[in-house]
Amino acid sequence: MERRGAGLAALGALGRRLLWALPAYAAGLLGLGAGALVLALALYAGWRRRRRARERGLRLAARLQRDEEAAVRAAAAAGLGAARGELPAWVSFPDVERAEWLNKVLAQAWPFFGQYMEKLLVENVAPSIRASNSHLQTFTFTKVDMGEKPLRVLGVRAHPGAHKKQILLDLNISYVGDVQIDVEVKKFFCKAGVKGMQLHGMLRIILEPLLGDVPIVGALTMFFIRRPTLDINWTGMTNLLDIPGLSSMSDTMIMDAISSYLVLPNRLLVPLVPDLHEAAQLRCPLPRGVVRVHLRAARDLRSKDRFMGGLVEGKSDPYAVLRVGTQVVTSRVINDNLNPAWDEVHEFIVHEVPGQEMEVELFDKDPDQDDLLGRMKLDLGEVLKARVLEEWFPLQEGGQGRLHLRLEWLLLMSDTSKLDQVLERNRTIVAKPDPPSAAILVVYLDRAEELPMKKPGKEPNPMVQVSVQDVTRESKVVYNTSAPVWEDAFRFFLHDPVNQDVDIQVKDDPRQSSLGSLSLPLARLLDAPELTLDQPFQLQRSGPGSRLYMKLVLRVLFLDAPENGDLTPPGQPDPPASTGSSHWPTHASPDPLFGTEHVLRIHLLEAENLIAKDNFFKGVVRGRSDPYAKVRVAGRVFRSRVVKEDLNPRWNEVYEVIVDNVPGQDVEFDLFDKDIDKDDFLGRCKVPLRRVLSSRIVDEWLPLEEVKSGRLHVRLESLAPSPSTTLLEQVLHTNSLLQPARGEELSAALLSVFVDRAADLPLRKGSKPPAAFASLAVRDVSVKTKTCAATTKPVWDEGFSFLIKRPHVESLELQVKEEGGQPLGTLSLPLPQLLASEGLALDGWFPLAGGGPGSQVLLRAQLGVLVSQQVEVGASSVSPAGGDAAPQPAEAPGEEECGAGGLRQRLLPADSHPEPAEGPLGRLQLTLWYHGDERKLVAIVHACRKLRPVSKELPDPYVSLVLLPDRSRGTKRKTSVQKKTLNPVFNERFEWDMSLEEASRRKLEAHVKSTLSFMSREKEALGKLHLDLAQVDLSQGGTHWYELQDEQSGP
């Protein structure tokens, strides 16, 4: 028997190998070439890879769901609080609740739901499919199993309804199921099915109307506000749908089918009481409003067109895709332009606020696949509040540049009192590609009765086409009936409701033969009560009793905003007004939003439990990862350093960026593993910018998305500029304490500059006026205005902002140049002038050096001090007399300016301790402080003064630090070496990880030494300092000058 089994196994193995040669044999038999064989193999490889990826994704999603549930339960059981940032977002935000009780109910009821679905598919859906086509008469469901994994509700949020008889619930649902549904068409020996599915989205449930009797709620209305994400694992013949190309097409078709039933404006109504009068209105309610979107322009887009293998960089061919729910429009393509101007107007019907968003995506048009240039999202509730919203919106998700949009909220009016005013205003709007709308028409198609039969004894399959001008909408087909019920709604934009008609055709599908028609002038609606007609309409060219039951509602679109309420975004590149007036303004006229920016300080702290991506020997030996982070916000991208071989990296880096309060912005974090070839993805997370601006500080552990484990610890702080120098010295001192060991110096102020215009610029070549622009620079940051047409009186009207590190020593440098780069005049504005000005602002005309005799520039410059939370806490603990203030850095009299970081010694509060008298060996300036948030002891070595030389040559000093009693390498720190000086300046920061109690038990020993020569390892002692940290107030932090002692002296 064993020999027989071995023989059968060998034959089976031989058969499988011969089966691999079958495609080649079939290709030769059919006369196909090698290309066809290679194509078939490529399709098979793609299908196999796609299928394995889907199976792996389903397994991973299921594991993630289990791990999340276990982690949350463990955290709750351990009593961990939301203050530590270790619980999900729904714990931190009380308006989003974790409905675990609902998940338990779903888990208990899921088997019975499976029984219901099996009965529904077998007894209702299958007969409908068999009746729809003669080729599907043998269609059957062979297996319906909803699996053991139920639908989960990740969070529930309740909103107040539009009126008192309505409750809104938003359910964040996630289904990662082991569903298995198999179908078969026996006539064609065809088997297919689904094995595994993922569905994620936000489902809104409306409880309406609320009643005074049981069951209290009259009906449930359900729909997805946005298209949910869907991933399906096919089986049988539908395996072909996993072939690349067909896969995305099949998912899109299924999503379209779901959208036609459950994505706005489509709704699923479940009446809970019989004979509900409001059923038709609940199924197809009137829209909340209309948003008119003026797609103006974009600027500073990313270049995507490259030639010669990327050596030559071209531009892009941008176009925009605007989406609100299922409404999608596409702009025209502008070739070879990184600053395109579309000047188009599009209109969208809004059904639900809050909830609905407008998404705009910018693409680069290419012959094959269009490249994404960036996207932005905006909650339309913001437009409803503002009525008119015009901004330069930053592009998110990897994009750079900004998008200029003007959005107008149009009210729906049920009378014609404002119609003439609306039509008159629309005539003044230059709109492409269509003229602006004056009204909308909503057609509620209910049912028909007594439709004619084209053939005796055969019922028609009626459907309806509704047309207004050149726009046509079609209803669904109702099979085999002369009294169909559609219960559908159609919406149309009307440009001139006085002169337009609505045309209706009832047809017999699929033959498309007419069953009746109706043409109705919309002028009838203008005379009807509340612009509404609700009645049966007699069909023309139909049966004598053929009627169509419809409700037609017209609403006038009115912009309830002042005519002069247009907002001009900062830096808008539109041409300025004429400068021909002889009356020159005495002050600049900035935009109302000028100077309202905030500074976002991003503290990238650490990460935990990252995925190990560095595996060796095909995964046999598991390594670690070399993580780094990318931070994206307001069009800026910051990249952290790489931490080698660490799954729990600590970066402790700080980034600063100027942000404005434009809705829809996020602070995005992407983590990667640094590799030689392509960096591996480790996860991403994001924080809405508006949340940081409203709460001012966000300090949380953020779970990483799209990976199975990992979280990121960040601290985000919004700093609003303050026009006062009261806390400037405290800000500078606190910044020196908070300054990380790596990264740029923290900013102390924000400088906002509005360049209005110039006057009497010199002529070019003696007679021609210049085409001028202005460039502004602070340190190494420079910007420039647009270039105006040739004139000696250019008007720019542009605003800019700069981060200021040291307001006492920095200056604003402005140059006016002609288009070719020739200077026309310069201005240097020291920032101490602003510090001495009232309100920290200067506004007026400034003479241009190097220009004509009367060349001037009109500008406004204002400074705002950036006061952090640590500064406010420190300031609140200081008495009015300043007696409790921590000692601050002091400067020796007559001290020269001392490079980077020297500002900390030049800026002194009134209560600072002066330098002590000279000691025999000189002095050392130190700042000691305990950073409670990071649990670190911080020491800043500022400088030495009046060191005593031990030889004729000047020393090359440096400072070494050690924490006693431990003299190991882990407690030692050393500054850089300063060459040939007795007054070295270091301004270097050092940190030790320890608790405050442990730090108080330590002693700090500092040695000032000098290197003797490049070849020698011997050091020359210049002095030492011994400090008992128990005698230092580490919680407040202090900066002092200390006398150096001889190396031979005791502690």
Side-chain angles (χ1 to χ4, degrees):
M1 291 296 291
E2 292 181 0
R3 291 182 179 179
R4 184 176 180 181
L8 290 175
L11 286 175
L14 178 62
R16 285 193 297 270
R17 283 162 174 76
L18 290 176
L19 190 62
W20 278 99
L22 183 60
Y25 175 75
L29 186 65
L30 298 174
L32 301 177
L37 182 61
V38 171
L39 177 62
L41 291 175
L43 287 174
Y44 173 76
W47 167 81
R48 183 126 184 153
R49 180 180 180 183
R50 180 91 181 179
R51 182 172 179 80
R52 288 180 175 177
R54 290 204 169 188
E55 292 175 348
R56 187 166 55 252
L58 286 170
R59 291 195 300 269
L60 179 61
R63 190 186 326 137
L64 279 174
Q65 202 170 39
R66 291 194 303 269
D67 293 347
E68 180 196 12
E69 183 178 0
V72 170
R73 288 178 176 173
L80 298 178
R84 295 182 57 186
E86 297 180 352
L87 295 180
W90 49 265
V91 178
S92 303
F93 302 104
D95 56 347
V96 179
E97 300 178 2
R98 182 83 169 189
E100 278 302 317
W101 64 271
L102 185 56
N103 289 322
K104 293 178 180 179
V105 171
L106 289 174
Q108 187 77 15
W110 194 252
F112 302 95
F113 175 74
Q115 297 175 15
Y116 166 74
M117 287 300 299
E118 181 177 8
K119 181 179 180 181
L120 177 68
L121 293 176
V122 172
E123 297 182 3
N124 297 89
V125 176
S128 300
I129 294 176
R130 286 194 289 265
S132 63
N133 194 301
S134 59
H135 300 291
L136 298 177
Q137 292 180 354
T138 57
F139 176 91
T140 57
F141 286 96
T142 58
K143 183 176 183 179
V144 178
D145 183 7
M146 297 305 295
E148 299 179 355
K149 300 176 182 177
L151 175 80
R152 288 186 56 81
V153 179
L154 303 181
V156 179
R157 182 177 183 179
H159 301 277
H163 49 80
K164 293 184 178 181
K165 289 190 175 183
Q166 184 186 75
I167 299 175
L168 305 182
L169 298 176
D170 285 342
L171 276 63
N172 185 3
I173 66 171
S174 175
Y175 178 56
V176 184
D178 50 353
V179 57
Q180 184 170 356
I181 300 176
D182 295 333
V183 301
E184 181 179 5
V185 183
K186 297 180 180 179
K187 180 178 179 180
F188 301 100
F189 304 100
C190 174
K191 294 183 179 181
V194 172
K195 186 177 182 181
M197 177 190 301
Q198 293 189 54
L199 180 68
H200 309 276
M202 184 68 70
L203 180 69
R204 172 161 291 184
I205 298 179
I206 301 179
L207 310 179
E208 183 185 9
L210 300 181
L211 308 174
D213 198 356
V214 290
I216 305 300
V217 178
L220 298 179
T221 306
M222 295 179 286
F223 53 86
F224 286 100
I225 295 178
R226 293 172 292 275
R227 290 166 63 100
T229 58
L230 177 71
D231 193 6
I232 298 175
N233 188 28
W234 301 101
T235 61
M237 289 294 292
T238 46
N239 273 334
L240 296 176
L241 296 178
D242 275 336
I243 295 177
L246 290 180
S247 174
S248 59
M249 188 186 307
S250 64
D251 288 354
T252 301
M253 293 172 60
I254 294 172
M255 278 309 308
D256 289 342
I258 294 177
S259 299
S260 65
Y261 286 98
L262 276 177
V263 178
L264 279 178
N266 305 294
R267 304 163 184 250
L268 176 62
L269 180 69
V270 182
L272 301 181
V273 295
D275 301 326
L276 184 65
H277 299 293
E278 299 94 335
Q281 182 180 352
L282 294 176
R283 188 175 289 109
C284 302
L286 270 175
R288 293 289 304 277
V290 169
V291 168
R292 179 175 293 158
V293 182
H294 298 255
L295 177 64
R296 295 281 175 82
R299 67 184 180 194
D300 302 329
L301 298 181
R302 192 183 300 275
S303 174
K304 289 289 187 177
D305 294 341
R306 302 179 185 273
F307 310 98
M308 301 179 62
L311 297 177
V312 179
E313 182 174 326
K315 295 187 177 181
S316 292
D317 307 319
Y319 69 93
V321 178
L322 296 84
R323 183 179 293 108
V324 175
T326 57
Q327 307 166 82
V328 182
V329 296
T330 303
S331 75
R332 58 193 174 94
V333 178
I334 298 180
N335 295 319
D336 294 327
N337 199 329
L338 299 181
N339 300 286
W342 290 282
D343 291 322
E344 297 182 0
V345 177
H346 303 283
E347 294 166 331
F348 298 93
I349 295 175
V350 182
H351 298 273
E352 287 292 326
V353 282
Q356 273 197 284
E357 295 178 336
M358 185 187 71
E359 181 180 11
V360 184
E361 295 178 311
L362 267 58
F363 293 93
D364 169 37
K365 186 67 176 178
D366 284 330
D368 47 2
Q369 183 177 2
D370 298 345
D371 300 314
L372 179 66
L373 297 175
R375 62 165 54 94
M376 60 80 60
K377 291 182 179 180
L378 177 66
D379 189 340
L380 294 177
E382 300 290 338
V383 187
L384 174 60
K385 294 177 184 177
R387 299 300 185 188
V388 176
L389 183 63
E390 184 166 3
E391 297 283 356
W392 283 93
F393 294 90
L395 297 176
Q396 304 286 331
E397 299 192 23
Q400 72 175 30
R402 290 180 172 244
L403 179 65
H404 186 189
L405 297 175
R406 174 188 169 94
L407 301 104
E408 301 171 347
W409 182 271
L410 305 179
L411 301 177
L412 306 184
M413 301 191 65
S414 58
D415 59 70
T416 59
S417 59
K418 302 288 186 180
L419 180 58
D420 293 337
Q421 181 181 342
V422 170
L423 292 172
E424 183 65 27
R425 184 180 186 274
N426 287 354
R427 294 188 189 99
T428 65
I429 300 176
V430 179
K432 295 179 292 185
D434 297 314
S437 302
I440 64 166
L441 172 67
V442 182
V443 179
Y444 297 99
L445 178 64
D446 186 8
R447 57 191 173 90
E449 63 181 23
E450 298 185 23
L451 294 180
M453 292 185 291
K454 293 299 180 180
K455 290 186 177 180
K458 183 171 178 59
E459 297 284 353
N461 302 323
M463 54 87 66
V464 177
Q465 292 179 343
V466 184
S467 302
V468 175
Q469 210 159 346
D470 55 350
V471 178
T472 300
R473 306 271 193 259
E474 291 188 353
S475 74
K476 63 184 178 182
V477 179
V478 181
Y479 294 97
N480 302 323
T481 179
S482 59
V485 178
W486 291 286
E487 293 183 340
D488 209 344
F490 310 101
R491 301 156 188 91
F492 300 89
F493 286 108
L494 306 176
H495 307 301
D496 186 7
V498 178
N499 300 312
Q500 289 182 280
D501 300 329
V502 57
D503 297 314
I504 299 171
Q505 294 279 339
V506 182
K507 296 186 176 182
D508 184 11
D509 188 85
R511 293 181 296 275
Q512 293 290 307
S513 57
S514 178
L515 298 176
S517 63
L518 175 65
S519 182
L520 184 68
L522 295 179
R524 280 186 57 184
L525 279 168
L526 298 178
D527 299 327
E530 295 188 352
L531 309 184
T532 302
L533 288 176
D534 187 1
Q535 63 184 62
F537 294 89
Q538 178 67 42
L539 290 174
Q540 303 169 0
R541 293 183 293 276
S542 185
S546 299
R547 288 181 176 83
L548 192 62
Y549 288 81
M550 294 189 306
K551 179 180 180 181
L552 292 88
V553 179
L554 189 142
R555 290 292 182 263
V556 177
L557 303 179
F558 178 67
L559 176 61
D560 186 15
E563 292 296 323
N564 58 355
D566 299 351
L567 300 177
T568 304
Q572 178 178 339
D574 293 341
S578 172
T579 61
S581 173
S582 59
H583 300 286
W584 289 98
T586 58
H587 297 284
S589 53
D591 181 88
L593 299 179
F594 171 73
T596 61
E597 298 93 343
H598 289 63
V599 173
L600 179 65
R601 185 170 288 170
I602 306 169
H603 201 161
L604 180 69
L605 295 170
E606 57 187 321
E608 285 185 355
N609 300 326
L610 299 183
I611 300 175
K613 288 288 187 178
D614 296 338
N615 299 323
F616 309 98
F617 303 106
K618 296 184 178 180
V620 176
V621 179
R622 295 185 62 83
R624 296 190 177 182
S625 291
D626 306 320
Y628 69 91
K630 282 186 178 180
V631 185
R632 294 185 175 90
V633 59
R636 296 283 305 277
V637 180
F638 303 95
R639 175 168 170 165
S640 75
R641 61 188 174 92
V642 178
V643 180
K644 296 288 186 180
E645 296 185 356
D646 199 340
L647 300 182
N648 301 287
R650 300 188 67 178
W651 291 285
N652 192 26
E653 297 184 7
V654 177
Y655 316 107
E656 293 177 325
V657 62
I658 301 171
V659 297
D660 46 26
N661 196 16
V662 176
Q665 300 184 84
D666 294 317
V667 187
E668 303 174 5
F669 301 90
D670 293 320
L671 270 61
F672 297 92
D673 168 38
K674 183 65 177 176
D675 283 332
I676 299 176
D677 47 2
K678 183 179 179 181
D679 298 346
D680 297 317
F681 179 67
L682 294 178
R684 67 166 45 97
C685 56
K686 64 182 179 181
V687 178
L689 179 59
R690 174 152 291 188
R691 180 186 162 207
V692 184
L693 296 178
S694 61
S695 60
R696 188 172 175 187
I697 292 179
V698 174
D699 188 347
E700 288 185 358
W701 283 93
L702 304 174
L704 296 178
E705 301 174 357
E706 303 180 29
V707 289
K708 63 181 181 180
S709 69
R711 58 178 187 164
L712 179 67
H713 188 191
V714 297
R715 186 179 191 273
L716 309 176
E717 183 174 8
S718 170
L719 305 176
S722 172
S724 171
T725 59
T726 306
L727 296 176
L728 178 58
E729 314 304 338
Q730 185 73 16
V731 167
L732 292 165
H733 176 62
T734 304
N735 283 358
S736 69
L737 299 177
L738 294 174
Q739 179 66 42
R742 301 176 179 86
E744 295 185 2
E745 187 176 350
L746 297 180
S747 300
L750 178 69
L751 173 65
S752 299
V753 183
F754 181 80
V755 186
D756 194 314
R757 64 187 69 202
D760 297 329
L761 296 182
L763 297 177
R764 186 181 59 174
K765 297 180 181 180
S767 61
K768 296 182 179 180
F773 68 91
S775 67
L776 301 89
V778 175
R779 296 188 319 278
D780 55 347
V781 180
S782 62
V783 295
K784 69 177 184 178
T785 67
K786 64 193 174 187
T787 302
C788 290
T791 178
T792 59
K793 304 173 183 179
V795 179
W796 293 294
D797 281 332
E798 294 194 49
F800 306 95
S801 298
F802 301 89
L803 292 174
I804 304 300
K805 312 295 183 183
R806 305 175 220 154
H808 287 77
V809 297
E810 296 184 29
S811 62
L812 170 68
E813 306 295 334
L814 182 144
Q815 282 189 319
V816 180
K817 300 180 180 180
E818 65 172 327
E819 195 170 15
Q822 184 70 22
L824 301 173
T826 62
L827 170 67
S828 180
L829 182 62
L831 297 190
Q833 288 189 23
L834 288 172
L835 294 175
S837 303
E838 183 180 357
L840 307 187
L842 290 173
D843 190 343
W845 290 94
F846 295 84
L848 292 174
S855 298
Q856 300 179 80
V857 63
L858 177 62
L859 60 83
R860 176 180 175 85
Q862 63 185 45
L863 200 65
V865 178
L866 302 176
V867 182
S868 65
Q869 185 188 48
Q870 290 90 345
V871 173
E872 292 179 346
V873 172
S876 63
S877 65
V878 178
S879 65
D884 295 335
Q888 302 296 323
E891 179 189 10
E895 179 184 344
E896 297 180 358
E897 194 168 301
C898 52
L903 182 65
R904 302 190 187 104
Q905 293 141 319
R906 288 192 293 276
L907 304 176
L908 306 178
D911 61 343
S912 296
H913 293 271
E915 294 184 16
E918 288 185 22
L921 298 180
R923 289 155 292 150
L924 172 65
Q925 189 186 33
L926 281 177
T927 294
L928 296 174
W929 177 57
Y930 186 78
H931 198 318
D933 292 340
E934 300 183 19
R935 298 176 59 82
K936 291 180 179 179
L937 174 65
V938 178
I940 302 176
V941 182
H942 293 286
C944 294
R945 287 294 175 269
K946 305 299 183 181
L947 296 178
R948 187 179 67 180
V950 295
S951 61
K952 295 182 179 180
E953 296 184 357
L954 291 175
D956 298 334
Y958 70 92
V959 180
S960 67
L961 305 174
V962 62
L963 279 180
L964 301 178
D966 186 5
R967 291 183 177 270
S968 65
R969 183 184 297 271
T971 66
K972 293 182 179 180
R973 306 288 188 271
K974 186 175 74 170
T975 69
S976 59
V977 177
Q978 303 297 316
K979 295 293 184 180
K980 307 300 180 185
T981 179
L982 295 175
N983 299 290
V985 177
F986 303 102
N987 287 312
E988 297 186 31
R989 176 187 174 115
F990 305 99
E991 299 174 347
W992 292 268
D993 292 327
M994 60 181 60
S995 65
L996 178 60
E997 293 76 13
E998 182 182 357
S1000 300
R1001 293 194 297 267
R1002 296 293 188 111
K1003 295 177 174 59
L1004 178 68
E1005 194 171 78
H1007 296 266
V1008 182
K1009 301 181 180 181
S1010 173
T1011 57
L1012 291 178
S1013 67
F1014 176 73
M1015 299 297 296
S1016 174
R1017 299 188 60 183
E1018 296 183 11
K1019 312 297 179 185
E1020 185 178 45
L1022 301 178
K1024 76 171 184 178
L1025 172 67
H1026 191 89
L1027 287 177
D1028 186 354
L1029 298 185
Q1031 307 300 319
V1032 180
D1033 187 0
L1034 297 176
S1035 60
Q1036 289 295 326
T1039 303
H1040 290 274
W1041 287 97
Y1042 299 93
E1043 288 190 13
L1044 294 176
Q1045 302 172 353
D1046 188 86
E1047 285 284 342
Q1048 305 302 323
S1049 63

